Amino acid sequence: MSELVDLICERYTSTLDRIASAAKRAGREPASIKLVVVTKSQPVEVVRAAIEAGAGILGENYPEEGVTKIQSLQEFSAVEWHMIGHVQSRKAQAVAQNFNFLHSLDSLKLAARLDRFSNEAGRILPTLLEFNVGEEDSKSGWLAQDEARWPELLKDVSAVLALPNLQVRGLMTMPPLGSTADFSRPYFRRVKRLQEYLSSNFSQADFSELSMGTSSDYEVAVEEGATLVRVGTAIVGPRQYKTEV
Ligand SMILES: *Cc1c(COP(=O)(O)O)cnc(C)c1O
């Protein structure tokens, strides 16, 4: 194994260990939490090394960059590619054709486009609904800070659930950036309550997945119910914005 694979493997394994400890603290089954290794802005060699180190789910933020990597790493057919960043309308087709899972569905308009392109591609796209539970309006996702206004979300959620080529699987959030991991806890709790709220309103639907937690707060996210954590820098190191992919 190369030094890079060794290094990533060590960090990947220790992240899994910390997920398992956090799960046990919360009385949860460690196997119920999946680790998404976020490789945005990393060159394809780093992504390859992450796969060789054992990563089975990779997270990308930018559709074009992700598609380039998916095409260059086709030999690893068991790897799942997750889109975790905001998807612009004009990138919906590339996402529907290439990714296995979408974390960041943030509008009904995007949902309708993804449904159409998934249908054309003969695929079903599993997806999470992204909610903004922080105080910043600039973030992506349906606004869900104010629990009193959650009933207003039901119309859009119901419309997304009705789209035949999208398969809603749960919720995703990206809390405001805080200085400590514990800063994120109330936001994770709010999303957990929102999950319960939506489940009780749509008893036939599946909202079982909760994507929350990054390098800085994934253990807190696991304590609060995350089933998917998205960890980048803690495993693959700092982002390499200047490198061509
Ligand atoms: C970049 C990113 C991550 C990973 O962040 P790290 O701090 O590198 O762990 C997770 N989720 C989303 C949506 C991101 O954009």
Side-chain angles (χ1 to χ4, degrees):
M1 280 208 276
S2 76
E3 258 170 59
L4 180 61
V5 176
D6 271 350
L7 177 64
I8 293 176
C9 185
E10 198 181 295
R11 293 181 185 145
Y12 180 71
T13 310
S14 84
T15 305
L16 286 176
D17 287 345
R18 294 170 76 150
I19 289 170
S21 306
K24 284 181 196 138
R25 282 199 294 281
R28 301 183 59 205
E29 186 57 53
S32 65
I33 297 128
K34 291 176 290 259
L35 173 54
V36 179
V37 178
V38 177
T39 48
K40 66 167 177 240
S41 73
Q42 297 287 351
V44 88
E45 295 68 48
V46 173
V47 188
R48 177 185 296 274
I51 297 170
E52 289 171 355
I57 309 178
L58 299 171
E60 287 285 335
N61 277 61
Y62 310 103
E64 274 157 2
E65 183 187 327
V67 170
T68 303
K69 291 172 182 171
I70 292 169
Q71 287 168 352
S72 343
L73 296 166
Q74 272 171 354
E75 73 230 63
F76 300 103
S77 55
V79 164
E80 273 184 44
W81 294 91
H82 288 204
M83 180 67 206
I84 65 170
H86 172 66
V87 179
Q88 294 168 289
S89 281
R90 62 197 166 87
K91 302 290 167 63
Q93 186 167 27
V95 170
Q97 286 174 339
N98 292 282
F99 283 85
N100 302 105
F101 200 100
L102 173 65
H103 289 233
S104 44
L105 179 60
D106 57 10
S107 75
L108 185 51
K109 183 175 160 239
L110 175 63
R113 283 180 73 83
L114 288 165
D115 179 65
R116 189 178 108 215
F117 291 126
S118 297
N119 183 39
E120 284 173 17
R123 306 175 91 206
I124 301 283
L125 181 65
T127 186
L128 307 177
L129 306 180
E130 180 172 359
F131 291 98
N132 175 354
V133 291
E135 284 76 34
E136 323 145 288
D137 287 354
S138 58
K139 278 251 168 70
S140 302
W142 278 274
L143 291 179
Q145 300 91 328
D146 181 358
E147 302 193 20
R149 298 183 66 176
W150 282 356
E152 295 168 25
L153 298 168
L154 298 177
K155 191 161 158 266
D156 275 9
V157 173
S158 165
V160 176
L161 288 171
L163 295 170
N165 305 291
L166 298 187
Q167 182 186 56
V168 173
R169 301 283 299 281
L171 296 75
M172 180 270 211
T173 202
M174 187 79 180
L177 197 61
S179 44
T180 65
D182 258 315
F183 179 86
S184 301
R185 195 182 297 277
Y187 301 104
F188 294 152
R189 287 194 174 156
R190 192 173 289 159
V191 176
K192 180 76 197 173
R193 284 197 297 279
L194 180 57
Q195 177 189 42
E196 287 157 8
Y197 175 77
L198 293 178
S199 300
S200 68
N201 275 277
F202 301 100
S203 55
Q204 307 298 311
D206 174 15
F207 291 107
S208 55
E209 303 285 353
L210 271 190
S211 169
M212 53 192 200
T214 66
S215 293
S216 57
D217 55 14
Y218 68 89
E219 291 163 281
V220 171
V222 168
E223 288 169 8
E224 299 302 332
T227 64
L228 288 153
V229 293
R230 310 179 306 266
V231 181
T233 48
I235 297 174
V236 291
R239 290 186 249 293
Q240 305 186 20
Y241 287 110
K242 296 221 167 59
T243 314
E244 305 247 322
V245 293

